[in-house]
Amino acid sequence: MNAILLIVRNDMKRRLRSPVSVICMFLIPLGLTLLVGLVFGRHGKVELSHIKVLVADSDKGIAANFLKQGMKQGKLAELIDLVEVDSVAGRSLMDRGKASALIEIPKGFTVNILDRKPVVIGLVKNPQEAFLPLIVEEITETMAVMIDGAARIFEKPIGEARGMLTGGRWPEAAELAGLLSSAKPRIELVKGYLSDTLISITSETVSAPDAKPERTFNFLALIMPGSILIGLLFISEITMRDILREREAGTLARIIAGPVRSDHVIAGKMLSSFAITLVACALLIAIGRLGFGIAWGSPLKLIVHVVGSILMCVGLMAFLYGFIRSERVADAMLPVVIIILCVFGGAMFPYEVMSPAMQKAAVFSPAFWVIDGLKRIAIEKTGWGGIAPHLAIVYGLGAVTSVAGAAKLRGKLAGKE
Amino acid sequence: MIEVRELVKSFGDIHALGGVDFTVSEGEIFGLLGPNGAGKTTTISIIAGLLNADSGSVRVSGMDIRKDGRRVRHLLGVVPQDIALYEELSGRENLHFWGGLYGLSGKRLREEAGRVLDLVGLTDRADDPVREYSGGMKRRINLSAGLIHRPKVILLDEPTLGIDPQARINILDIIRDGVSEGMTAIYTTHYLEEAEKLCDRIAIIDRGKILAQGTLKDLVKLAGEGNLVTVSGAFSKEQVSPLLKGVAVEQLENGSLRMLVPGQAELSGALGRLFSAGISIGEVSIQEPSLEGVFIKLTGKDLRD
């Protein structure tokens, strides 16, 4: 045990004296994250914008006003930015992609509704947008159903008040009283259907007591787990490479010539690599928190997941170095291995934007489980159950690769190279 | 103290050792003398436990290195041919690490590090990084790392390679002083003068086999009573050989001829025949029986070839 700690202490001292290689590997993930940060701003937060909807109202009647006002009320007001235009201007703006959709309310819209005649609302959608125009279409359809429903229920009183509703003027108080009096029986009739429904919906947003309503999404929280994984792989690689360097420098032979067991030598090297990678990872996480505003979630879950991930990376590198005989081979082979792991794991491009085929392949990359685990902890704030498979895989793979790597390296040392 | 029996080692098609056999007594400096590629480093590496022999055995203080490897390694100190130090650490930090591996710690470690630094004369540079040391200084720290734990047996693989004569003398003195305190040493070299000055017994090794071993006196006797005569001038080996029947003649790179002449009478006769034949001789040098002569006789070539 003393020999292991001696080797670890010696390696840490050597790294402090000559940290260039580790710093360079640390700068890779940091640089990637900084670049993304520059693109998306300091906190990487993406503002969820209003849906810009143009409305060309050729009717100006109460039904048209009802439709327009409905889109400016309540929750819809937070979502929709409604701009009134004339039809020609509206079409021009849509041609230039300046809005998500254009609603064209035809002349005679209100009259036709009151007369219970079919009427068509035009909806022009922006082809460059996939989702927002569909949302507008849904809202418009809902509003149309509501207006149609109301027209059916209050057909008689509406008929009596027709002059008021189509005159383009707001009714006087006495006229309104008469209208409501006429509508009262209708209201009584539908009261049974409109009130005391069996199904109700309550809405709740889970948040801290003093949390502000969030209309932003920290994009860096999606990117940085991948950057961290890149850092873990490269730093564990460069630190495990020390076995090769010491072999070529002759110091490894000198250690083996001493009264030290070869498995203690290997354990010391792997522990050094683990310690340095852990420090680097802690720094990256701290920079993510303090520099990019990423809320990493539960510290305990984060620590447990990170420790397992580093164990897996160090074990993997130990295993690979059991086969590599020179730095030249390491230079040629290991960056390729790391990049493949990173690409398939979702470090280069988020898993969410991968093709279905790639997403299926991703689960076979150990990198995926590291990155997805970090995202679940940071973004989804998942419980232990949510990361249980991830922990099982990183710790399991870590144990297997560490044992296999140590055995391979011990065999190399025992074979006395 | 050390018994090496019938060591055989091959690296693929290269037969590095073909049955090396020798014994080293306690308190003795045993030299392994041979050219590059003779098998000296391979032999040392096997004794140090860095290589496994294909066959044969090595016993140190009665312990087999294969069965009691760790216990044997406790007794050994190794000074490798290549400088094996951490260049980014200071001399002292290197010694603390290497001493720590052998179980030294705390005050004792610091004292022993100070002792060997003093022994090699590097106390005032002890806290500078090794990468700032000269070649000779690196060799001295390399040596001190093998001595810090006061080993019973020190294995030195060409410890003076590439350093100036003064530094070499210094290192030889250090080794001699260490041995006088009870250490046993195996010293490999391809410098004849080192082997002559330092070693109590010498084994001449070439192509993986020990050709002869014994004290310097014993080995020189093997060369016979002859003198080593070097003759330079305007002639070739083909011109001279017929005139020197019965004498081993070797042509050197610079065109000179080297002959092992049995005695004074034969020497006069040989030179007389050369002069009579009109051979133009520029210079004649005569060397009394030495290890070099032994080596040439046994291998047919110069150690420097």
Side-chain angles (χ1 to χ4, degrees):
Chain A
M1 191 64 189
N2 282 343
I4 296 174
L5 293 176
L6 189 65
I7 289 168
V8 172
R9 200 164 62 229
N10 195 55
D11 283 353
M12 300 292 274
K13 206 186 288 184
R14 288 168 54 223
R15 286 286 168 202
L16 281 172
R17 298 287 170 82
S18 189
V20 172
S21 56
V22 175
I23 287 173
C24 287
M25 291 303 143
F26 176 79
L27 287 177
I28 292 174
L30 195 61
L32 282 171
T33 312
L34 275 172
L35 277 171
V36 174
L38 280 172
V39 170
F40 289 99
R42 180 175 179 264
H43 293 284
K45 289 182 181 169
V46 178
E47 186 79 19
L48 298 171
S49 57
H50 286 77
I51 305 174
K52 189 168 181 184
V53 179
L54 307 174
V55 60
D57 183 5
S58 302
D59 180 68
K60 309 289 185 212
I62 199 160
N65 285 333
F66 189 79
L67 181 68
K68 290 183 293 185
Q69 291 305 318
M71 289 192 177
K72 293 180 184 177
Q73 303 298 320
K75 298 275 186 225
L76 288 178
E78 294 175 18
L79 191 60
I80 291 177
D81 187 16
L82 199 70
V83 177
E84 286 211 50
V85 295
D86 63 65
S87 213
V88 170
R91 287 271 172 172
S92 172
L93 287 168
M94 287 304 296
D95 286 342
R96 287 183 280 141
K98 294 296 184 184
S100 297
L102 166 67
I103 300 171
E104 292 177 316
I105 304 174
K107 192 174 173 59
F109 177 68
T110 302
V111 168
N112 285 335
I113 286 176
L114 293 175
D115 290 343
R116 307 301 305 132
K117 287 178 185 171
V119 63
V120 176
I121 299 173
L123 181 69
V124 181
K125 294 188 280 192
N126 186 340
Q128 293 173 344
E129 295 178 14
F131 299 110
L132 300 182
L134 290 176
I135 295 172
V136 175
E137 189 172 11
E138 285 293 321
I139 293 169
T140 310
E141 282 178 1
T142 304
M143 295 298 296
V145 166
M146 285 170 61
I147 294 168
D148 183 66
R152 284 173 195 273
I153 293 167
F154 297 102
E155 188 177 354
K156 189 169 180 294
I158 286 171
E160 291 167 5
R162 191 192 164 106
M164 283 187 278
L165 298 172
T166 58
R169 65 172 181 90
W170 194 250
E172 299 291 337
E175 288 171 316
L176 267 177
L179 178 63
L180 287 169
S181 172
S182 176
K184 186 171 181 291
R186 300 279 171 163
I187 294 170
E188 293 293 335
L189 188 64
V190 300
K191 207 164 85 170
Y193 298 99
L194 294 176
S195 62
D196 298 331
T197 54
L198 290 175
I199 301 169
S200 60
I201 298 168
T202 63
S203 171
E204 184 182 342
T205 302
V206 179
S207 64
D210 54 354
K212 294 174 197 164
E214 186 64 70
R215 275 189 55 80
T216 60
F217 169 65
N218 194 338
F219 195 71
L220 290 175
L222 197 64
I223 296 295
M224 199 156 185
S227 300
I228 287 175
L229 187 273
I230 293 173
L232 293 189
L233 284 170
F234 275 111
I235 293 170
S236 58
E237 188 272 309
I238 203 75
T239 47
M240 279 308 301
R241 190 185 285 219
D242 200 49
I243 281 188
L244 214 57
R245 290 213 170 111
E246 284 219 47
R247 193 183 80 166
E248 288 173 10
T251 47
L252 187 65
R254 199 165 201 171
I255 293 173
I256 297 166
V260 182
R261 289 166 49 176
S262 16
D263 47 0
H264 284 189
V265 176
I266 295 157
K269 286 295 175 191
M270 289 176 74
L271 198 52
S272 313
S273 176
F274 183 92
I276 293 165
T277 310
L278 184 64
V279 169
C281 185
L283 278 173
L284 284 169
I285 288 172
I287 289 170
R289 179 72 191 98
L290 300 170
F292 303 131
I294 297 172
W296 287 107
S298 162
L300 181 60
K301 290 191 193 88
L302 189 65
I303 289 168
V304 170
H305 184 66
V306 160
V307 165
S309 302
I310 296 173
L311 179 70
M312 189 189 74
C313 292
V314 170
L316 180 64
M317 290 306 148
F319 184 70
L320 291 173
Y321 271 108
F323 294 96
I324 292 170
R325 292 198 64 82
S326 72
E327 281 210 68
R328 267 177 81 180
V329 172
D331 283 339
M333 189 179 123
L334 290 178
V336 174
V337 170
I338 290 172
I339 287 169
I340 290 172
L341 283 172
C342 289
V343 167
F344 277 94
M348 305 291 193
F349 309 102
Y351 173 85
E352 291 76 10
V353 305
M354 286 183 185
S355 68
M358 277 288 283
Q359 286 184 344
K360 280 187 185 148
V363 297
F364 293 101
S365 167
F368 167 79
W369 298 96
V370 174
I371 297 169
D372 195 60
L374 285 171
K375 282 182 190 171
R376 282 176 183 240
I377 295 168
I379 300 173
E380 297 172 28
K381 312 289 188 233
T382 190
W384 287 104
I387 55 167
H390 303 74
L391 294 177
I393 285 171
V394 297
Y395 276 96
L397 273 176
V400 167
T401 52
S402 295
V403 168
K408 191 77 185 87
L409 287 170
R410 190 171 57 241
K412 254 183 129 167
L413 296 185
K416 309 290 175 31
E417 304 184 76
Chain B
M1 186 78 189
I2 303 169
E3 292 172 24
V4 176
R5 293 285 172 263
E6 294 300 318
L7 275 188
V8 174
K9 178 68 182 176
S10 295
F11 298 101
D13 292 333
I14 299 170
H15 303 294
L17 297 179
V20 167
D21 209 295
F22 60 86
T23 304
V24 182
S25 304
E26 193 168 344
E28 178 177 56
I29 303 179
F30 185 84
L32 268 178
L33 175 69
N36 293 329
K40 306 186 298 294
T41 299
T42 306
T43 304
I44 285 276
S45 298
I46 292 171
I47 298 171
L50 296 171
L51 285 176
N52 288 326
D54 295 339
S55 65
S57 68
V58 176
R59 300 182 80 84
V60 178
S61 285
M63 293 184 285
D64 191 314
I65 59 161
R66 288 202 198 206
K67 291 177 190 159
D68 301 304
R70 275 188 72 207
R71 286 173 66 197
V72 169
R73 293 200 299 274
H74 264 291
L75 303 177
L76 299 178
V78 178
V79 181
Q81 187 178 118
D82 296 323
I83 306 287
L85 298 166
Y86 297 109
E87 298 251 325
E88 57 273 83
L89 301 181
S90 68
R92 195 187 303 278
E93 285 168 332
N94 267 277
L95 292 175
H96 284 180
F97 174 71
W98 298 113
L101 279 185
Y102 284 89
L104 299 179
S105 62
K107 189 179 168 199
R108 190 169 164 227
L109 176 61
R110 288 192 296 274
E111 283 173 355
E112 293 295 335
R115 177 185 68 85
V116 293
L117 282 167
D118 197 44
L119 189 67
V120 300
L122 283 173
T123 305
D124 55 346
R125 295 293 304 274
D127 298 312
D128 295 336
V130 167
R131 65 170 168 262
E132 292 178 10
Y133 289 3
S134 67
M137 289 163 69
K138 287 181 185 177
R139 282 272 168 209
R140 283 186 274 157
I141 281 287
N142 200 40
L143 172 64
S144 61
L147 295 172
I148 185 171
H149 59 289
R150 299 182 191 256
K152 289 270 187 276
V153 176
I154 183 87
L155 305 173
L156 303 123
D157 192 5
E158 308 210 45
T160 62
L161 202 63
I163 60 172
D164 60 82
Q166 184 58 46
R168 182 178 298 162
I169 292 168
N170 188 235
I171 285 176
L172 297 182
D173 288 340
I174 293 166
I175 295 166
R176 208 177 284 113
D177 291 343
V179 169
S180 70
E181 288 177 12
M183 219 163 42
T184 303
I186 296 181
Y187 188 98
T188 76
T189 182
H190 64 267
Y191 296 121
L192 288 161
E193 55 275 18
E194 276 188 3
E196 285 177 354
K197 283 179 186 162
L198 184 68
C199 301
D200 299 315
R201 284 194 311 125
I202 301 162
I204 296 176
I205 181 171
D206 192 25
R207 296 176 199 260
K209 285 185 163 55
I210 290 190
L211 305 175
Q213 57 179 299
T215 62
L216 179 62
K217 212 170 163 183
D218 295 334
L219 290 173
V220 167
K221 277 184 192 167
L222 288 178
E225 299 294 328
N227 294 318
L228 202 62
V229 179
T230 306
V231 178
S232 61
F235 50 76
S236 67
K237 187 178 174 184
E238 289 71 33
Q239 281 178 284
V240 166
S241 289
L243 302 169
L244 298 173
K245 282 191 175 51
V247 176
V249 179
E250 182 201 356
Q251 184 150 36
L252 303 176
E253 276 179 11
N254 59 5
S256 305
L257 291 180
R258 189 157 59 190
M259 305 171 277
L260 197 60
V261 181
Q264 288 291 337
E266 286 79 5
L267 176 61
S268 304
L271 289 174
R273 286 196 292 280
L274 289 176
F275 282 125
S276 302
I279 301 293
S280 173
I281 294 173
E283 196 177 308
V284 178
S285 71
I286 301 169
Q287 192 180 331
E288 288 184 348
S290 70
L291 204 50
E292 187 172 4
V294 175
F295 191 87
I296 292 170
K297 186 180 178 184
L298 290 172
T299 64
K301 62 179 190 284
D302 196 328
L303 188 60
R304 281 174 284 272
D305 293 341

